[in-house]
């Protein structure tokens, strides 16, 4: 990934003309001193675990008794996992979940964010209130929705039946459970999109709209031809963050459905946790974690590359 | 006409957004019987037993369940505050260097730092679980603080870099011409200029550290449990302790809400700087 920011293009020349030998070495000292603590922590907490994880994934062993049965099995963990139909089910479920909730969040978030950029009385208070779902712990969100979606005494079914519609068994059927989880995730994270979208929309210079108004542009034209393209990089970052976060979603399902009914709402993350910490098949869990890791890193690299291209365009 | 459609849609979203929050608040004051009343009751006797058990006061004082929750609240405060302070400190240093200097591998460093946001917690957890046990970090606050730093330092570096990019480089140049060291310029001139940015970064990191669940749930067993973990444990063998969960949810959101309102202006700026700085 390349780092491009506007200020850098002009600086090297400016700095090299000003820099003397003494300053250069003090600069190197500053870079080293300021970066090494972060680098050390990340090597210890990220690089080292990932390398160990990859090596674990070639072994068959359990964290319960790490010294016994530590057996090299090569790629067996991977071939077993990839031929496991249940795992494919989890990938399909995760994909459906990601698609439903991310598209809902983007559409609602952009719409509400666009409306909130207009100044009106009490906007700051309303804005803060609307951000509340995002501030809650995902576990609380899961339990709260589980409470509201209970088929017998939940308030959602009460509202549905008072509208004259039939009650839905939200959490005990596979498809409604998917939508229940998507509704909870959308509830929690749409505010994040609103936050980013509002920030992006406010960054667009007023003069551009004024010029468009002089030319007699319609509101729809202004939104689709000016606002959206000009805030595309920020919105794309929002999309990337939400795609990655919902792909690795675990906490919400832990509290909301517990993976049920059956194992129909188990995401891939959930499967890793279950294999590692309920069954203690550490080798197999490592292999699954490596697969998940590669998918997410691959996905984000593609998206980030696209983002950089976008940055060049605008 | 379009105006009305927009208003109706906005009202619908506001209902969807605020309804559950309101319901959380109402339910947190309900006793057992009122919680499960069908149809739901709007007028009821206010029951604070959930809050009492969260803070370990009143009827819940000294009971086994209350003890654990108060402890968890203290753990949550200690872990997320120190994790936030350290992550923001490291992120500020790294962000400053990345904003001001060109050095080999800078792009790789920034991507590596950002990749902590992409890592699924469960993936590294498989390893942390073993490593923490070996190093004696399992079920300790220090272990959780380490996790909080690692989970937030990437975000902190990126947002802070954005804020530093917004400070003109002439600040340091003038300081150096006037005979001050680069370090002096950083501490006494540049840092005060990005105070708002530091506040915003701290706000974000605090929200994530305060609500973190996946790591804490697996790396703690008794002593170092944080409040989100304790809440999930309230769904134990005796059924789900709804009142306690709802009250704990309200207690958990209050500090974040206050923090968010105080830093709301910087937050918006932080987001645009952080992301627009690159594009």
């Amino acid at each position: 990934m390349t780092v491009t920011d506007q200020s850098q293009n002009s600086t090297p020349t400016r700095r090299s003309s000003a820099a003397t030998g003494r300053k250069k070495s003090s600069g190197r000292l500053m870079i080293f001193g300021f970066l090494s603590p972060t680098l050390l922590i990340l090597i210890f907490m990220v690089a080292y675990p990932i390398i160990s994880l990859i090596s674990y994934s070639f072994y068959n062993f359990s964290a319960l008794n790490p010294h016994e049965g530590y057996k090299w099995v090569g790629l067996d963990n991977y071939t077993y996992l990839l031929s496991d139909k249940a795992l494919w089910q989890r990938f399909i479920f995760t994909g459906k979940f990601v698609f439903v909730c991310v598209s809902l969040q983007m559409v609602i978030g952009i719409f509400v964010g666009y409306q909130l950029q207009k100044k009106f009385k009490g906007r700051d208070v309303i804005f803060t209130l609307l951000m509340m779902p995002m501030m809650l712990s995902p576990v609380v969100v899961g339990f709260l929705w589980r409470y509201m979606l209970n088929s017998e005494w939940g308030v959602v079914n009460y509202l549905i039946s008072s509208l004259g519609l039939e009650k839905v068994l939200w959490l005990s059927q596979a498809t409604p459970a998917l939508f229940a989880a998507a509704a909870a995730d959308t509830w929690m994270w749409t505010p994040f999109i609103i936050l980013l979208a509002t920030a992006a929309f406010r960054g667009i210079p007023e003069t551009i709209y004024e010029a468009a108004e002089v030319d007699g542009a319609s509101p729809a034209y202004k939104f689709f031809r000016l606002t959206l393209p000009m805030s595309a990089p920020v919105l794309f970052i929002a999309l990337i963050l939400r795609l990655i976060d919902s792909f690795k979603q675990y906490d919400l399902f832990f509290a909301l459905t517990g993976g049920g009914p059956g194992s129909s709402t188990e995401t891939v993350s959930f499967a890793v946790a279950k294999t590692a910490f309920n069954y203690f098949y550490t080798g197999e869990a490592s292999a699954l974690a490596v697969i998940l890791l590669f998918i997410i890193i691959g996905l984000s690299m593609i998206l980030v590359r696209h983002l950089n291209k976008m940055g060049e365009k605008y | 006409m379009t105006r009305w459609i927009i208003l109706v849609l906005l009202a619908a979203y506001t209902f969807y957004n605020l309804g559950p929050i309101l319901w959380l608040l109402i339910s947190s004051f309900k006793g057992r019987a009122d919680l499960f009343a069908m149809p739901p009751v709007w007028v009821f006797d206010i029951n604070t037993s959930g809050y009492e058990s969260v803070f370990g006061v009143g009827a819940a004082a000294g009971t086994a369940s209350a003890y654990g929750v108060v402890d968890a609240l203290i753990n949550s405060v200690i872990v997320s505050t120190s994790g936030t302070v350290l992550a923001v400190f490291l992120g500020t240093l790294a962000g400053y260097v990345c904003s001001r200097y060109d050095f080999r591998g800078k792009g790789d460093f920034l991507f590596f730092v950002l990749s902590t946001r992409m890592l699924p917690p469960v993936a590294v957890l498989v390893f942390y679980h073993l490593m923490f046990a070996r190093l004696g970090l399992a079920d300790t606050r220090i272990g959780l603080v380490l996790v909080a730093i690692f989970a937030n330092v990437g975000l902190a570096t990126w947002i802070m870099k954005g804020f530093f990019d917004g400070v003109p480089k002439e600040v340091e140049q003038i300081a150096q011409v006037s005979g001050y060291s680069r370090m002096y310029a950083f501490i006494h001139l540049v840092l005060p200029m990005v105070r708002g940015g530091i506040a915003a970064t701290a706000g974000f990191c605090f929200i994530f550290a305060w609500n973190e669940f996946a790591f804490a749930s697996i790396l703690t067993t008794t002593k170092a449990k944080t409040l989100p973990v304790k809440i999930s444990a309230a769904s134990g063998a005796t059924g789900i302790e709804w009142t306690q969960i709802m009250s704990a949810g309200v207690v958990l959101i209050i500090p974040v809400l206050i923090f968010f309102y105080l830093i709301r202006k910087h937050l918006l700026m932080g987001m645009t700087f952080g992301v627009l700085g690159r594009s």
Side-chain angles (χ1 to χ4, degrees):
Chain A
M1 193 173 72
T2 53
V3 187
T4 50
D5 65 318
Q6 301 93 329
S7 54
Q8 259 168 38
N9 303 331
S10 59
T11 43
T13 49
R14 221 191 299 164
R15 191 180 297 130
S16 57
S17 65
T20 63
R22 196 187 60 83
K23 268 176 199 156
K24 237 181 212 158
S25 75
S26 89
R28 206 167 290 155
L29 194 70
M30 200 158 179
I31 295 173
F32 182 77
F34 278 22
L35 287 187
S36 48
T38 307
L39 208 54
L40 273 179
I41 285 196
L42 290 184
I43 288 172
F44 179 63
M45 302 291 284
V46 182
Y48 176 41
I50 288 178
I51 292 165
S52 318
L53 203 63
I54 294 173
S55 76
Y56 286 170
S57 70
F58 299 118
Y59 286 91
N60 181 8
F61 81 112
S62 166
L64 280 185
N65 41 359
H67 304 294
E68 277 168 54
Y70 196 78
K71 201 170 111 234
W72 169 266
V73 291
L75 290 171
D76 277 10
N77 283 327
Y78 291 96
T79 49
Y80 170 76
L81 281 169
L82 292 176
S83 62
D84 185 10
K85 277 215 182 70
L87 181 70
W88 290 106
Q89 281 304 316
R90 288 182 184 121
F91 271 112
I92 291 167
F93 174 77
T94 311
K96 279 186 197 162
F97 170 74
V98 170
F99 177 76
V100 172
C101 59
V102 174
S103 38
L104 278 175
Q105 286 162 27
M106 290 304 290
V107 171
I108 302 174
I110 291 174
F111 171 74
V112 179
Y114 191 62
Q115 302 306 323
L116 277 179
Q117 58 158 346
K118 295 163 192 158
K119 277 209 170 71
F120 56 88
K121 233 180 108 190
R123 185 181 64 178
D124 277 358
V125 177
I126 291 180
F127 194 80
T128 309
L129 287 177
L130 286 182
M131 292 300 126
M132 276 163 74
M134 188 176 83
M135 300 173 203
L136 277 170
S137 172
V139 196
V140 177
V141 173
F143 277 117
L144 174 63
W145 280 85
R146 185 162 160 184
Y147 173 66
M148 293 195 306
L149 288 171
N150 186 288
S151 54
E152 285 160 44
W153 35 265
V155 68
V156 173
N157 266 353
Y158 168 73
L159 290 177
I160 288 176
S161 61
S162 63
L163 287 174
L165 300 168
E166 211 160 302
K167 288 184 175 186
V168 181
L169 298 171
W170 288 107
L171 299 174
S172 45
Q173 288 173 314
T175 312
L178 168 68
F179 284 103
D185 195 74
T186 305
W187 178 74
M188 184 173 181
W189 288 109
T190 304
F192 179 71
I193 307 289
I194 297 178
L195 180 73
L196 277 167
T198 317
F201 295 158
R202 283 193 204 170
I204 299 172
E206 200 59 40
T207 45
I208 289 177
Y209 291 116
E210 282 161 12
E213 242 153 67
V214 171
D215 294 344
S218 69
Y221 180 90
K222 276 195 280 182
F223 178 71
F224 286 107
R225 288 303 163 93
L226 299 176
T227 312
L228 274 191
M230 292 202 65
S231 52
V234 180
L235 296 178
F236 197 71
I237 289 177
L239 178 72
I240 295 177
L241 288 175
R242 284 316 306 144
L243 276 178
I244 293 170
D245 279 356
S246 57
F247 195 87
K248 59 185 200 190
Q249 184 60 270
Y250 164 75
D251 316 14
L252 179 74
F253 288 99
F254 179 89
L256 181 67
T257 64
S263 60
S264 59
T265 59
E266 278 183 11
T267 54
V268 184
S269 269
F270 203 97
V272 177
K274 213 167 149 185
T275 318
F277 308 113
N278 288 5
Y279 306 143
F280 286 97
Y281 298 149
T282 310
E284 189 190 321
S286 305
L288 187 50
V290 170
I291 296 175
L292 182 62
L293 211 62
F294 273 92
I295 291 176
I296 289 191
I297 289 178
L299 189 73
S300 22
M301 274 169 110
I302 295 170
L303 292 171
V304 167
R305 190 163 304 159
H306 190 78
L307 180 75
N308 283 343
K309 270 199 203 128
M310 221 188 237
E312 282 159 22
K313 228 171 22 186
Y314 294 100
Chain B
M1 185 57 200
T2 16
R3 211 182 128 75
W4 284 104
I5 296 174
I6 288 175
L7 274 179
V8 168
L9 288 175
L10 277 181
Y13 176 69
T14 312
F15 176 73
Y16 169 56
N17 181 301
L18 292 180
I21 294 278
L22 195 67
W23 202 239
L24 174 77
L25 191 64
I26 291 175
S27 308
S28 72
F29 285 107
K30 280 183 178 176
R32 251 199 130 73
D34 290 328
L35 267 178
F36 306 121
M38 195 69 201
V41 284
W42 293 91
V43 183
F44 53 89
D45 294 330
I46 285 184
N47 180 312
T48 53
S49 66
Y51 290 96
E52 281 166 14
S53 70
V54 172
F55 292 109
V57 294
T63 61
S65 77
Y67 175 71
V69 180
V70 182
D71 251 20
L73 187 61
I74 296 170
N75 283 337
S76 267
V77 172
I78 293 176
V79 167
S80 40
T81 335
S82 36
T84 302
V85 169
L86 289 168
V88 172
F89 175 70
L90 293 176
T92 306
L93 296 185
Y96 178 73
V97 168
C98 288
S99 159
R100 285 301 192 260
Y101 292 96
D102 285 312
F103 52 90
R104 223 164 4 123
K106 181 161 114 172
D108 297 326
F109 174 78
L110 280 170
F111 186 75
F112 180 45
V113 163
L114 189 69
S115 69
T116 54
R117 277 286 293 156
M118 304 166 184
L119 225 54
V122 286
V124 275
L125 263 171
V126 178
F127 177 74
Y128 282 4
H129 186 60
L130 290 166
M131 177 176 82
F132 273 40
R134 216 180 301 145
L135 296 175
L137 287 172
D139 203 20
T140 62
R141 288 170 186 162
I142 296 175
L144 287 186
V145 171
L146 267 178
V147 169
I149 297 174
F150 127 77
N152 288 305
V153 74
L155 194 69
T157 306
W158 275 80
I159 303 183
M160 282 316 296
K161 179 185 172 291
F163 276 102
F164 285 124
D165 284 345
V167 177
K169 296 188 192 230
E170 282 73 22
V171 173
E172 284 106 315
Q173 283 168 358
I174 291 171
Q176 274 174 315
V177 169
S178 319
Y180 294 111
S181 70
R182 198 105 201 189
M183 198 68 191
Y184 181 91
F186 169 64
I187 294 171
H188 294 276
L189 300 174
V190 180
L191 270 191
M193 291 176 83
V194 293
R195 261 181 316 196
I198 294 177
T201 313
F204 268 109
C205 295
F206 185 77
I207 293 182
F208 286 122
W210 183 245
N211 291 330
E212 203 289 313
F213 171 73
F215 286 111
S217 74
I218 299 213
L219 297 176
T220 64
T221 44
T222 45
K223 284 185 312 218
K225 264 188 186 168
T226 56
L227 199 46
V229 180
K230 190 70 199 172
I231 291 175
S232 77
S235 63
T238 53
I240 302 174
E241 296 286 342
W242 289 110
T243 334
Q244 194 179 317
I245 290 174
M246 301 294 169
S247 315
V250 174
V251 171
L252 271 169
I253 203 176
I254 288 170
V256 185
L257 195 61
I258 296 171
F259 209 9
F260 192 95
Y261 189 74
L262 292 177
I263 61 164
R264 67 192 183 284
K265 292 217 169 73
H266 306 300
L267 210 58
L268 276 180
M269 215 160 66
M271 293 314 297
T272 33
F273 269 133
V275 291
L276 284 179
R278 318 185 37 259
S279 48

